[in-house]
Amino acid sequence: MIAALMPNYNRADLAFERGEGAWLWTADGRRFLDFGAGIATSSLGHGHPGLTRAIAEQAARVMHVSNLYRVPQAEKLAQRLVDTTFADSVFFCNSGAEANEGMVKMMRKTMSETGRGERYRFICFEGAFHGRTLGMLAATGNAKYLKGFGPECAGFDHVPFNNLNAVRAAITAETAGIIIEPIQGEGGIRPAQLQFLRDLRATCDEYGLLLGLDEIQCGVGRTGKLFAHQWAGITPDVMSVAKGIGGGFPLGAVLATEAVARHMQPGTHGTTFGGNPLACAAGNAVLDVILEPGFLDGVARKGQRLWDALGAVVREFPDVFEELRGAGLMLGLKCRVPAGDVNNALMAEGMLAVTAGENVVRLVPPLVISEDDIGQGLDMVRRAARRCQPSASKVAAK
Ligand SMILES: *Cc1c(COP(=O)(O)O)cnc(C)c1O
């Protein structure tokens, strides 16, 4: 008989009862160091006092009122995002896919309202992941995810990542814009070259296209800057955000310049839950921590320490690992043995990680992780690597 919970996930047989910082405990008392952070989402770790207090206090006061009324918590969160980014205006929603849907609608609406309604197509990239709605399945373009779900939504063209010639060759009279993750997450922690991002910005300006960034996974401090595109010194026209911004509470956002946002007049787009007082209280509590002076430098410093130490691990275990990639606390170990085996070995050593495309194991710990926990994590990675060495059984037999 089928389980009451639908079988659409491949779940590890672990159920966590509580967490603190970067650690999670199962009901039977086993402890795990969380280098997956709920897929790069629990940015403040588990049980963060500021975040849990903000949610509890807001829940007791008022959780939801709808967007028929003003929501001061949303106004405050939007203003803080406007003050700290390229954006002039912010739309709130509940998930990453919903943020991307909003971003695509805004880009199309902008074209339509500026006399270019025939421009509705987007250039996307091989290896991308933009979510699981019907629209975002097409933007993702992964045949495995599309299979069985009927006709693919029209309007998304895919070209190889980091290939400017391919992008330029794909531009037609119907192209509205380019949508890219500055660092592909699900695709295997594949960073866009900084010069490629600059070239995309220049190409969009040259052709009058809009640049849309999906920073759902790489944004909100993950790379050591508030948003990953800042490393390239460019700004997008519109950007989707989710995962880390709620610290585990469902919250998504679309950030846009005025030139885009001004077309989203009353009635053009909406969502019932989006930007409610509870979700925005969580978002504000996350920003309280991430915008604290020195916090992002700390993320960059911890990322550099992991980068140096994991690079040494890759060199020490060349039969297990091929390459280290990523930025800040968004790192990927490309494996020579199956990434699932490495992930299982990490779990056996007490560490939670996440696999990704291209046979990569993702290490995306909470941004608040301590130096001591990083040290323990590195020991776990080394021990897991030893377990995965193809010659391990022979060595043990000697
Ligand atoms: C997770 C993710 C999404 C989808 O977010 P959901 O909240 O699962 O809908 C979209 N884009 C990127 C880059 C992601 O990492």
Short mmCIF file of all heavy atoms in Angstrom, two decimals, residues 156-195:
data_model
loop_
_atom_site.label_atom_id
_atom_site.label_comp_id
_atom_site.label_asym_id
_atom_site.label_seq_id
_atom_site.Cartn_x
_atom_site.Cartn_y
_atom_site.Cartn_z
N PHE A 156 11.51 29.19 -23.75
CA PHE A 156 12.81 29.08 -23.07
C PHE A 156 13.81 28.34 -23.96
O PHE A 156 13.58 27.21 -24.36
CB PHE A 156 12.64 28.37 -21.73
CG PHE A 156 11.70 29.11 -20.81
CD1 PHE A 156 10.35 28.78 -20.78
CD2 PHE A 156 12.15 30.14 -20.01
CE1 PHE A 156 9.46 29.46 -19.95
CE2 PHE A 156 11.27 30.84 -19.18
CZ PHE A 156 9.92 30.50 -19.16
N ASP A 157 14.89 29.02 -24.30
CA ASP A 157 15.93 28.46 -25.17
C ASP A 157 17.19 28.23 -24.34
O ASP A 157 17.57 29.10 -23.55
CB ASP A 157 16.24 29.44 -26.31
CG ASP A 157 14.98 29.78 -27.11
OD1 ASP A 157 14.27 28.84 -27.51
OD2 ASP A 157 14.71 30.98 -27.29
N HIS A 158 17.81 27.07 -24.49
CA HIS A 158 18.97 26.72 -23.67
C HIS A 158 20.26 26.69 -24.47
O HIS A 158 20.30 26.17 -25.58
CB HIS A 158 18.73 25.37 -22.99
CG HIS A 158 17.66 25.47 -21.94
ND1 HIS A 158 16.32 25.40 -22.26
CD2 HIS A 158 17.74 25.70 -20.61
CE1 HIS A 158 15.62 25.57 -21.15
NE2 HIS A 158 16.45 25.75 -20.14
N VAL A 159 21.29 27.28 -23.88
CA VAL A 159 22.62 27.29 -24.49
C VAL A 159 23.64 26.85 -23.44
O VAL A 159 23.35 26.88 -22.25
CB VAL A 159 22.98 28.71 -25.03
CG1 VAL A 159 21.96 29.17 -26.06
CG2 VAL A 159 23.10 29.72 -23.90
N PRO A 160 24.85 26.45 -23.89
CA PRO A 160 25.87 26.03 -22.92
C PRO A 160 26.25 27.16 -21.96
O PRO A 160 26.32 28.32 -22.37
CB PRO A 160 27.05 25.62 -23.80
CG PRO A 160 26.45 25.33 -25.14
CD PRO A 160 25.30 26.27 -25.28
N PHE A 161 26.49 26.78 -20.71
CA PHE A 161 26.89 27.71 -19.65
C PHE A 161 28.26 28.29 -19.96
O PHE A 161 29.13 27.60 -20.50
CB PHE A 161 26.93 26.90 -18.35
CG PHE A 161 26.87 27.70 -17.07
CD1 PHE A 161 25.84 28.58 -16.82
CD2 PHE A 161 27.86 27.52 -16.10
CE1 PHE A 161 25.78 29.28 -15.61
CE2 PHE A 161 27.80 28.21 -14.89
CZ PHE A 161 26.76 29.10 -14.65
N ASN A 162 28.46 29.55 -19.61
CA ASN A 162 29.77 30.22 -19.79
C ASN A 162 30.20 30.30 -21.24
O ASN A 162 31.40 30.33 -21.52
CB ASN A 162 30.86 29.50 -18.96
CG ASN A 162 30.82 29.91 -17.49
OD1 ASN A 162 30.51 31.06 -17.16
ND2 ASN A 162 31.12 28.98 -16.60
N ASN A 163 29.24 30.35 -22.17
CA ASN A 163 29.60 30.42 -23.60
C ASN A 163 28.89 31.63 -24.22
O ASN A 163 27.73 31.57 -24.60
CB ASN A 163 29.18 29.12 -24.29
CG ASN A 163 29.64 29.08 -25.75
OD1 ASN A 163 29.76 30.12 -26.40
ND2 ASN A 163 29.90 27.89 -26.24
N LEU A 164 29.63 32.73 -24.31
CA LEU A 164 29.03 33.98 -24.79
C LEU A 164 28.63 33.90 -26.26
O LEU A 164 27.58 34.42 -26.65
CB LEU A 164 30.01 35.15 -24.58
CG LEU A 164 29.42 36.52 -24.95
CD1 LEU A 164 28.30 36.90 -23.99
CD2 LEU A 164 30.50 37.59 -24.97
N ASN A 165 29.46 33.22 -27.08
CA ASN A 165 29.12 33.10 -28.51
C ASN A 165 27.78 32.40 -28.68
O ASN A 165 26.97 32.80 -29.51
CB ASN A 165 30.21 32.32 -29.26
CG ASN A 165 31.47 33.15 -29.42
OD1 ASN A 165 31.43 34.38 -29.37
ND2 ASN A 165 32.59 32.48 -29.59
N ALA A 166 27.55 31.36 -27.86
CA ALA A 166 26.28 30.62 -27.95
C ALA A 166 25.12 31.51 -27.54
O ALA A 166 24.04 31.47 -28.15
CB ALA A 166 26.34 29.37 -27.07
N VAL A 167 25.33 32.34 -26.54
CA VAL A 167 24.27 33.27 -26.11
C VAL A 167 23.94 34.23 -27.24
O VAL A 167 22.77 34.42 -27.61
CB VAL A 167 24.70 34.06 -24.85
CG1 VAL A 167 23.70 35.17 -24.54
CG2 VAL A 167 24.83 33.13 -23.65
N ARG A 168 24.97 34.84 -27.79
CA ARG A 168 24.74 35.85 -28.83
C ARG A 168 24.08 35.24 -30.05
O ARG A 168 23.23 35.85 -30.68
CB ARG A 168 26.05 36.56 -29.17
CG ARG A 168 26.58 37.40 -27.99
CD ARG A 168 27.90 38.08 -28.32
NE ARG A 168 27.75 39.11 -29.34
CZ ARG A 168 27.52 40.40 -29.09
NH1 ARG A 168 27.41 40.83 -27.85
NH2 ARG A 168 27.40 41.26 -30.08
N ALA A 169 24.46 34.00 -30.36
CA ALA A 169 23.89 33.33 -31.53
C ALA A 169 22.43 32.97 -31.30
O ALA A 169 21.67 32.80 -32.26
CB ALA A 169 24.70 32.06 -31.85
N ALA A 170 22.02 32.86 -30.03
CA ALA A 170 20.64 32.43 -29.73
C ALA A 170 19.67 33.61 -29.67
O ALA A 170 18.45 33.41 -29.57
CB ALA A 170 20.63 31.66 -28.40
N ILE A 171 20.18 34.83 -29.70
CA ILE A 171 19.30 36.01 -29.61
C ILE A 171 18.52 36.16 -30.91
O ILE A 171 19.09 36.11 -32.00
CB ILE A 171 20.13 37.29 -29.33
CG1 ILE A 171 20.80 37.19 -27.95
CG2 ILE A 171 19.23 38.53 -29.39
CD1 ILE A 171 21.81 38.31 -27.69
N THR A 172 17.20 36.30 -30.78
CA THR A 172 16.35 36.52 -31.95
C THR A 172 15.48 37.75 -31.70
O THR A 172 15.54 38.35 -30.63
CB THR A 172 15.42 35.32 -32.23
OG1 THR A 172 14.40 35.31 -31.20
CG2 THR A 172 16.17 34.00 -32.21
N ALA A 173 14.62 38.07 -32.67
CA ALA A 173 13.71 39.21 -32.54
C ALA A 173 12.63 38.93 -31.50
O ALA A 173 11.86 39.83 -31.14
CB ALA A 173 13.06 39.51 -33.89
N GLU A 174 12.58 37.68 -30.99
CA GLU A 174 11.59 37.32 -29.96
C GLU A 174 12.21 37.23 -28.56
O GLU A 174 11.51 36.89 -27.60
CB GLU A 174 10.94 35.97 -30.32
CG GLU A 174 10.10 36.04 -31.59
CD GLU A 174 9.40 34.72 -31.89
OE1 GLU A 174 9.88 33.67 -31.43
OE2 GLU A 174 8.37 34.77 -32.57
N THR A 175 13.49 37.50 -28.44
CA THR A 175 14.15 37.35 -27.14
C THR A 175 13.83 38.54 -26.23
O THR A 175 14.02 39.70 -26.62
CB THR A 175 15.67 37.21 -27.31
OG1 THR A 175 15.93 36.12 -28.21
CG2 THR A 175 16.35 36.94 -25.97
N ALA A 176 13.37 38.22 -25.01
CA ALA A 176 13.08 39.26 -24.02
C ALA A 176 14.26 39.45 -23.07
O ALA A 176 14.51 40.57 -22.60
CB ALA A 176 11.84 38.88 -23.20
N GLY A 177 14.95 38.37 -22.76
CA GLY A 177 16.03 38.50 -21.80
C GLY A 177 16.79 37.21 -21.58
O GLY A 177 16.57 36.20 -22.25
N ILE A 178 17.72 37.30 -20.63
CA ILE A 178 18.58 36.17 -20.26
C ILE A 178 18.34 35.88 -18.78
O ILE A 178 18.24 36.81 -17.98
CB ILE A 178 20.06 36.54 -20.50
CG1 ILE A 178 20.30 36.84 -21.99
CG2 ILE A 178 20.99 35.44 -19.99
CD1 ILE A 178 21.68 37.41 -22.29
N ILE A 179 18.22 34.60 -18.45
CA ILE A 179 18.02 34.20 -17.05
C ILE A 179 19.14 33.24 -16.65
O ILE A 179 19.34 32.21 -17.30
CB ILE A 179 16.64 33.55 -16.84
CG1 ILE A 179 15.54 34.58 -17.13
CG2 ILE A 179 16.52 33.00 -15.42
CD1 ILE A 179 14.13 34.01 -17.05
N ILE A 180 19.86 33.59 -15.59
CA ILE A 180 21.01 32.77 -15.21
C ILE A 180 21.20 32.75 -13.69
O ILE A 180 20.92 33.74 -13.01
CB ILE A 180 22.31 33.30 -15.90
CG1 ILE A 180 23.49 32.37 -15.60
CG2 ILE A 180 22.61 34.75 -15.52
CD1 ILE A 180 24.71 32.66 -16.47
N GLU A 181 21.66 31.61 -13.18
CA GLU A 181 22.13 31.51 -11.80
C GLU A 181 23.61 31.91 -11.81
O GLU A 181 24.40 31.26 -12.50
CB GLU A 181 22.04 30.06 -11.30
CG GLU A 181 20.66 29.46 -11.23
CD GLU A 181 20.74 27.92 -11.27
OE1 GLU A 181 21.06 27.32 -10.24
OE2 GLU A 181 20.50 27.34 -12.34
N PRO A 182 24.03 32.91 -11.03
CA PRO A 182 25.45 33.26 -10.99
C PRO A 182 26.33 32.08 -10.56
O PRO A 182 27.47 31.97 -11.00
CB PRO A 182 25.51 34.40 -9.97
CG PRO A 182 24.17 35.05 -10.10
CD PRO A 182 23.20 33.91 -10.32
N ILE A 183 25.78 31.22 -9.69
CA ILE A 183 26.41 29.92 -9.44
C ILE A 183 25.31 28.88 -9.54
O ILE A 183 24.35 28.91 -8.76
CB ILE A 183 27.07 29.83 -8.05
CG1 ILE A 183 28.14 30.92 -7.89
CG2 ILE A 183 27.68 28.44 -7.83
CD1 ILE A 183 28.81 30.91 -6.51
N GLN A 184 25.42 27.97 -10.51
CA GLN A 184 24.40 26.92 -10.61
C GLN A 184 24.49 26.02 -9.39
O GLN A 184 25.57 25.53 -9.05
CB GLN A 184 24.61 26.10 -11.88
CG GLN A 184 24.23 26.86 -13.15
CD GLN A 184 24.26 25.96 -14.38
OE1 GLN A 184 24.85 24.88 -14.37
NE2 GLN A 184 23.62 26.42 -15.45
N GLY A 185 23.35 25.82 -8.73
CA GLY A 185 23.32 25.01 -7.51
C GLY A 185 23.05 23.55 -7.80
O GLY A 185 23.96 22.71 -7.74
N GLU A 186 21.81 23.24 -8.17
CA GLU A 186 21.44 21.85 -8.45
C GLU A 186 22.31 21.28 -9.57
O GLU A 186 22.58 20.08 -9.60
CB GLU A 186 19.96 21.76 -8.87
CG GLU A 186 18.98 22.34 -7.87
CD GLU A 186 19.08 21.71 -6.51
OE1 GLU A 186 19.04 20.49 -6.41
OE2 GLU A 186 19.22 22.48 -5.53
N GLY A 187 22.72 22.14 -10.49
CA GLY A 187 23.53 21.69 -11.64
C GLY A 187 24.90 21.20 -11.24
O GLY A 187 25.62 20.62 -12.07
N GLY A 188 25.32 21.46 -9.98
CA GLY A 188 26.61 20.94 -9.54
C GLY A 188 27.58 22.00 -9.06
O GLY A 188 28.80 21.86 -9.24
N ILE A 189 27.07 23.08 -8.45
CA ILE A 189 27.95 24.18 -7.97
C ILE A 189 28.88 24.61 -9.10
O ILE A 189 30.11 24.47 -9.02
CB ILE A 189 28.73 23.78 -6.68
CG1 ILE A 189 27.79 23.14 -5.64
CG2 ILE A 189 29.43 24.99 -6.08
CD1 ILE A 189 26.77 24.06 -5.02
N ARG A 190 28.26 25.09 -10.17
CA ARG A 190 29.05 25.56 -11.32
C ARG A 190 28.98 27.09 -11.37
O ARG A 190 27.94 27.65 -11.72
CB ARG A 190 28.45 25.00 -12.62
CG ARG A 190 28.44 23.49 -12.69
CD ARG A 190 27.58 23.03 -13.87
NE ARG A 190 28.25 23.17 -15.15
CZ ARG A 190 27.62 23.27 -16.31
NH1 ARG A 190 26.30 23.31 -16.35
NH2 ARG A 190 28.29 23.35 -17.44
N PRO A 191 30.07 27.76 -11.03
CA PRO A 191 30.06 29.23 -11.05
C PRO A 191 30.11 29.76 -12.49
O PRO A 191 30.87 29.25 -13.32
CB PRO A 191 31.33 29.63 -10.30
CG PRO A 191 31.84 28.38 -9.67
CD PRO A 191 31.34 27.24 -10.49
N ALA A 192 29.31 30.77 -12.75
CA ALA A 192 29.49 31.53 -13.99
C ALA A 192 30.79 32.31 -13.84
O ALA A 192 31.08 32.86 -12.78
CB ALA A 192 28.33 32.48 -14.21
N GLN A 193 31.60 32.34 -14.91
CA GLN A 193 32.81 33.17 -14.86
C GLN A 193 32.36 34.63 -14.68
O GLN A 193 31.36 35.05 -15.27
CB GLN A 193 33.61 33.00 -16.15
CG GLN A 193 34.24 31.61 -16.26
CD GLN A 193 34.48 31.17 -17.70
OE1 GLN A 193 34.30 31.95 -18.64
NE2 GLN A 193 34.87 29.92 -17.86
N LEU A 194 33.12 35.37 -13.87
CA LEU A 194 32.73 36.76 -13.60
C LEU A 194 32.71 37.57 -14.89
O LEU A 194 31.83 38.40 -15.11
CB LEU A 194 33.66 37.39 -12.57
CG LEU A 194 33.64 36.71 -11.18
CD1 LEU A 194 34.57 37.43 -10.21
CD2 LEU A 194 32.22 36.62 -10.62
N GLN A 195 33.66 37.29 -15.78
CA GLN A 195 33.68 38.01 -17.06
C GLN A 195 32.46 37.64 -17.90
O GLN A 195 31.92 38.48 -18.63
CB GLN A 195 34.98 37.73 -17.82
CG GLN A 195 35.17 38.60 -19.07
CD GLN A 195 35.10 40.09 -18.75
OE1 GLN A 195 35.68 40.56 -17.78
NE2 GLN A 195 34.35 40.85 -19.55
#
